[in-house]
Amino acid sequence: MAKIFATTDPEVSGREKRNMERTRRIAAEGMVLLENSGALPLEADGRSLALFGSGVRHMVKGGTGSGDVNSRTVVNVEQAMEDAGFQIGTKTWLDRFDDDCTKWGKTYVAKYQAILKEKGWEGVNWALDHPYRDPDVPEITQEDMTGTDKRCAVYVIARTSGEGADRKLAPGDYELTEGEIQNLGMLAEHYEHTVVVLNVGGAIDTKLFREKKGIDAVLLMSQPGCAGGLALADVLTGKVSPDGRLAATWAENYADYPFAEEFSYLNGDVADEYYKEGIYVGYRYFDSFGVRPAYPFGFGRSYTEFALGVGKVEIKGDAVCVTVAVKNVGAAYAGRETVQVYVSQPTGRLDKPYQVLAGYAKTDVLAPGQETDVTVTFSVRSLASYDEGAAEYILEKGIYYVRIGTHSRNTHVAAALELAEDVVTERLANRVAADCPLDVLHASPDGYYTYEREAQEKTDAPHIAIDVSVITAVTASYGKDMCGQCSDAGEKDKGRVTLADVLEGRASVHDLTAQLDARELAELVVGSARGGMAGASTVGAASAACPGAAGDTTSSLLESRGVANLVFADGPAGLRLSKSFVVDKDGNIIPGLGESAFGNLGEMLGMVPPERPADAVDHYQYCTAIPIATMLAQTWDPALIEEAGDIVGEEMEELGVTLWLAPGMNIQRNPLCGRNFEYYSEDPLVSGLCAAADTRGVQRHAGCGTTIKHFALNNQEDNRTHSNSHCAERALREIYLKGFEIAVKEAAPLSLMTSYNLVNGIHAANNRELITDILRCEWGFKGLVMTDWGTTDKSGDFKYGSSSPVQCVKAGNDLTMPGSQADVDAIADAVGNELTLEELRACAGRVLELVCHAMKNRRS
């Protein structure tokens, strides 16, 4: 019987209340004011507010799929605005939209039920490929506006996306619907001001908002978690200044993104994705090719204004320290400013972007007239570029212009760092090279974005010499000792070793693995979905100890060796668990009772709930839905993101979860990626620092860890399990792997998850160069590597096949999840043929090391 951590008290706990308030504060900090011509903030004066739009009652707290969180309470926009002191004068229209959604939803559910009846659990994939979307909004009539205060109307546009399907370049997703366009025109005509609130997980087409007279404010609410409505009310009323800044570029037109028409399904080929833009992703592309965005990377307005003044730029060793004076020069509102430091690198044998983000810092809240200094520090080494031909990172000689600003189109030269000669910072070996010719983009300074006085700023900038003697080259070693492979060095004849012996220091993990046979070792490196405590588990509901969790490690060695299993829960916007479950008098969980993480999916599958025993006991696992990862990044505040991680870590510790299957940190390469909301940014520095902060927050809790994912190039959802991502090594290292590298080196996450897709012709889970050579040998990662769920599934007919469980082990991918008996058999049978016992022991050893870590910390 599994140990149950969940409470039997149905009342709202102090932890729930506290974390609700914390997530409310974090969400408010991540909202981005895109436009404001005097419409905001609103005065909460009891007015009859004209509140329309799909996101008013149907607010989207976060994306769908594994990113969903089953929180007890979600406060929507209508509730929050009423709590803030407004009367809602548009309830008739909101009721009408509710009715439309109910009818639309019944039609969707009926179709879903029919598919489930035909295909069983396989029908769940249909829902991933065809996620539910609300219908278009009803028309706003004169009668709907009667009695409302004509000073201002608020229109909330909601969008949702999720795991398994990319977003559509169509009305109702990236584009506005006819109903939204018509309604916004109506409001702009009849109200003094119209405020548009965007309850979206990523970029949409915003042209209408700037073109339509009468739309005077646009606020990116994002997808803010369970307290989202309250956070929005705080910002709309000026209780909190909207101090968030964009973490991705929003284009004027979708076609402005590089190779936009070739993304995912748009070119009719979801089997192969070619990363032709190379390193020119996001602002690196827009700035280097002179394409004007609608809203630049790092952009955001405030209710006040700030002035920046450069104090000094100096080099200490290989660290560049930039001190900036920030003053609130507004008259009425307090607020926070984000200082962003970029660097323009010299071109040489390698082409370079116009500028790259080197560091950033956010002020505390400044009252009107208040001034403070902030210092941004970054390493000269971080400015190196990867030369594929030489397999090395190099700082090319020339001038490195340090730029200070508030977004990527508002930077000004503050200093010129001079490097007298080329300097190599890392000597590597070519790894994960492109598997086909790629004619990638190359930028020229002739095409760069520029601005008035830029040339003069460069002339006037103080020149500072970089001391090359302090920059030493690091040479990677790819030997087994460097990459974490444990050898057959354990003592087989030490007596029967158990995990208790390891925990008490009487034996090592190596001693334990040395005594296990091939089948026992194979059991350790495969998740428990085939049996054990998890029983006949299903994806998304695989833990007996923690119902609704995504899965467990095996308990097959519990009796013989005392090896307990570990529980993994989905994320990244909080813990995805069942809200409640029921146990019998002996503590055994009764399947089919309680409120599962999948809602009423069991009922739709035709499963009849069992009878509830008279002596059954209810348990509760209510969790906090924090803001989506993109919104966390929009705070530009590592301390706040660490607090979000702390919320999750506290709940993990309480509910017995070992690993959070988050944070997601793939690069937002294209806005149509269906899972971008789970990822932080288009920029690898922002992504890496955010993931590190999230990890620190989680891992301050005993025995709890993060699982950074999806490693690597998981930048599309259509055919995500069998797509081949073709990418040049320079782009792979500088853009798509860099954030992972930063997170690993800054915060040492306990785990990492490989992605489904192939990386240059080899499945990520089977890619030894990616997992062992780069992750372990070059970066020094010491944690556990697991697969995404079902990557070894052989069903379906695809151009590219599935991952091999045997090759997972050979690659250094320690754990195949959720696991099957076929995986165990394949691995055990391969020993002595495709697989060495040493390779298997290495992976099993890392699983055991994580079990030891969790058990030691939970006991202390």
Side-chain angles (χ1 to χ4, degrees), residues 515-546:
Q515 293 187 356
L516 301 179
D517 63 29
R519 185 155 292 275
E520 289 174 313
L521 292 167
E523 293 273 353
L524 279 171
V525 301
V526 176
S528 67
R530 65 194 177 280
M533 285 187 179
S537 60
T538 55
V539 176
S543 173
C546 194

Side-chain angles (χ1 to χ4, degrees), residues 13-142:
S13 68
R15 182 263 298 164
E16 286 181 81
K17 294 175 183 177
R18 180 176 65 256
N19 287 348
M20 188 81 163
E21 285 304 309
R22 295 168 79 190
T23 197
R24 174 181 183 171
R25 177 166 45 84
I26 295 167
E29 290 279 353
M31 293 186 186
V32 182
L33 186 62
L34 299 176
E35 303 285 354
N36 190 26
S37 299
L40 293 176
L42 302 176
E43 185 178 354
D45 53 6
R47 73 177 71 178
S48 178
L49 182 65
L51 185 60
F52 294 99
S54 57
V56 175
R57 288 182 180 168
H58 299 260
M59 184 194 79
V60 180
K61 74 179 189 301
T64 62
S66 62
D68 196 11
V69 177
N70 297 297
S71 50
R72 183 194 296 258
T73 303
V74 178
V75 182
N76 68 26
V77 176
E78 180 184 30
Q79 294 169 300
M81 295 303 282
E82 287 179 326
D83 290 348
F86 296 92
Q87 298 179 46
I88 307 304
T90 52
K91 288 183 179 289
T92 300
W93 186 92
L94 295 171
D95 289 342
R96 199 156 72 244
F97 184 53
D98 281 347
D99 291 341
D100 290 348
C101 290
T102 298
K103 294 173 186 174
W104 194 265
K106 286 180 178 178
T107 301
Y108 178 86
V109 168
K111 186 170 184 179
Y112 188 17
Q113 284 179 310
I115 292 171
L116 287 173
K117 186 175 181 180
E118 176 188 351
K119 298 184 178 181
W121 275 102
E122 290 184 15
V124 175
N125 291 326
W126 179 87
L128 291 174
D129 294 338
H130 304 86
Y132 171 78
R133 300 287 184 266
D134 284 331
D136 199 1
V137 287
E139 178 185 359
I140 296 174
T141 66
Q142 289 281 359

Side-chain angles (χ1 to χ4, degrees), residues 283-480:
Y283 70 89
R284 286 170 168 81
Y285 171 76
F286 284 83
D287 293 347
S288 301
F289 290 85
V291 180
R292 183 179 64 84
Y295 299 109
F297 172 80
F299 175 82
R301 304 182 191 274
S302 177
Y303 289 155
T304 188
E305 294 182 0
F306 299 92
L308 270 59
V310 179
K312 60 182 176 179
V313 178
E314 54 186 342
I315 300 181
K316 300 176 180 179
D318 81 332
V320 181
C321 301
V322 183
T323 302
V324 181
V326 184
K327 183 175 183 179
N328 183 342
V329 296
Y333 295 98
R336 305 177 70 191
E337 181 61 287
T338 299
V339 175
Q340 301 167 35
V341 177
Y342 297 77
V343 174
S344 295
Q345 306 148 298
T347 57
R349 67 177 188 253
L350 301 176
D351 60 312
K352 310 292 191 340
Y354 169 74
Q355 61 184 352
V356 296
L357 182 70
Y360 55 90
K362 195 167 187 176
T363 69
D364 293 331
V365 176
L366 300 179
Q370 189 175 0
E371 185 173 358
T372 191
D373 285 345
V374 298
T375 299
V376 177
T377 301
F378 59 92
S379 170
V380 172
R381 300 176 64 90
S382 68
L383 305 177
S385 301
Y386 184 71
D387 182 353
E388 293 180 24
E392 60 190 22
Y393 274 96
I394 183 171
L395 290 162
E396 297 199 76
K397 66 180 179 181
I399 297 177
Y400 292 75
Y401 289 104
V402 178
R403 300 174 177 271
I404 297 170
T406 55
H407 58 77
S408 67
R409 286 300 175 94
N410 178 32
T411 66
H412 296 277
V413 177
L417 311 181
E418 292 188 81
L419 186 64
E421 60 187 70
D422 291 351
V423 178
V424 174
T425 62
E426 291 183 76
R427 294 188 177 92
L428 309 172
N430 290 118
R431 291 293 186 264
V432 201
D435 60 335
C436 64
L438 284 171
D439 186 16
V440 298
L441 285 179
H442 292 283
S444 166
D446 295 339
Y448 285 174
Y449 154 80
T450 189
Y451 55 90
E452 189 177 353
R453 288 191 54 79
E454 181 178 22
Q456 190 63 48
E457 287 177 2
K458 290 181 176 180
T459 299
D460 295 342
H463 284 234
I464 305 170
I466 299 173
D467 183 359
V468 298
S469 68
V470 301
I471 307 172
T472 56
V474 176
T475 301
S477 172
Y478 300 97
K480 287 185 178 180

Side-chain angles (χ1 to χ4, degrees), residues 584-639:
D584 63 22
K585 61 182 176 60
D586 298 319
N588 299 304
I589 295 167
I590 306 172
L593 295 181
E595 193 173 357
S596 81
F598 268 76
N600 65 340
L601 181 58
E603 179 185 337
M604 287 193 286
L605 280 165
M607 297 178 181
V608 179
E611 270 192 47
R612 179 188 173 97
D615 53 1
V617 179
D618 293 282
H619 288 72
Y620 303 92
Q621 300 183 124
Y622 294 108
C623 299
T624 306
I626 62 174
I628 60 172
T630 302
M631 192 175 196
L632 294 179
Q634 287 169 187
T635 69
W636 290 69
D637 187 336

